[in-house]
Amino acid sequence: MPEPLTQEETRQLEATLREERKVLLDALDERLHQGDDPDEMSLKNNIQDGAPDDRPSASMLNDEAIAEVSLELRELRAVEAALERIAQGSYGICANCSSPIGVERMRAQPAAALCIACQTESERHPSLFAPNTSRMRL
């Protein structure tokens, strides 16, 4: 079984999470202001002018942008949740079985809320885990 995180390891991982949050916020900010891009404006203008050949391209761009924003928002929520666990003193403890997650896993995935065993189980049997939580249904 992995050892609990030391205070120093937690501080280092917190710094990593804060940097990751900054990168995600910057990426979201940039993505949300992409509408100012001249190529995108040209495409939008062509669609508004009735150029039917551009509609699939615009739809694909929109779908791709939505998917990217959704992924970045999910990652940002996970980072924010990890920072909250640090503030509460439960960071590095599995949200399902309450075992230490281990420094190696936390370094690889600083926002991890589950130990490897519980994460594997949640991926194999997602219906056993309550929606919107990491805790296993009893």
Side-chain angles (χ1 to χ4, degrees):
M1 175 182 289
E3 295 292 318
L5 297 174
T6 65
Q7 287 182 346
E8 180 59 28
E9 289 166 339
T10 300
R11 276 194 294 275
Q12 290 170 354
L13 290 164
E14 181 179 13
T16 299
L17 286 164
R18 289 190 184 284
E19 180 59 31
E20 189 173 340
R21 179 174 61 182
K22 182 184 179 320
V23 168
L24 288 166
L25 288 171
D26 289 346
L28 282 165
D29 185 54
E30 182 178 324
R31 192 166 315 287
L32 293 174
H33 289 93
Q34 277 182 342
D36 302 335
D37 183 297
D39 291 334
E40 285 191 29
M41 291 300 287
S42 174
L43 181 59
K44 288 176 187 174
N45 289 336
N46 283 344
I47 291 168
Q48 289 172 351
D49 292 340
D53 292 343
D54 286 334
R55 286 189 182 140
S57 296
S59 178
M60 188 173 79
L61 283 174
N62 285 337
D63 291 347
E64 183 179 305
I66 290 169
E68 289 171 355
V69 167
S70 293
L71 175 62
E72 287 166 347
L73 284 172
R74 256 192 324 272
E75 291 174 359
L76 182 59
R77 280 189 213 107
V79 167
E80 293 288 350
L83 290 168
E84 182 63 27
R85 288 191 303 275
I86 289 171
Q88 294 174 349
S90 60
Y91 183 73
I93 303 298
C94 180
N96 184 58
C97 71
S98 300
S99 295
I101 294 175
V103 70
E104 294 85 15
R105 173 155 169 74
M106 297 309 293
R107 283 186 180 140
Q109 189 70 20
L114 299 173
C115 67
I116 291 175
C118 289
Q119 181 66 41
T120 301
E121 192 64 22
S122 76
E123 291 169 4
R124 283 189 190 146
H125 306 288
S127 63
L128 293 177
F129 285 76
N132 301 322
T133 70
S134 300
R135 285 199 77 75
M136 197 169 191
R137 290 183 186 161
L138 299 176

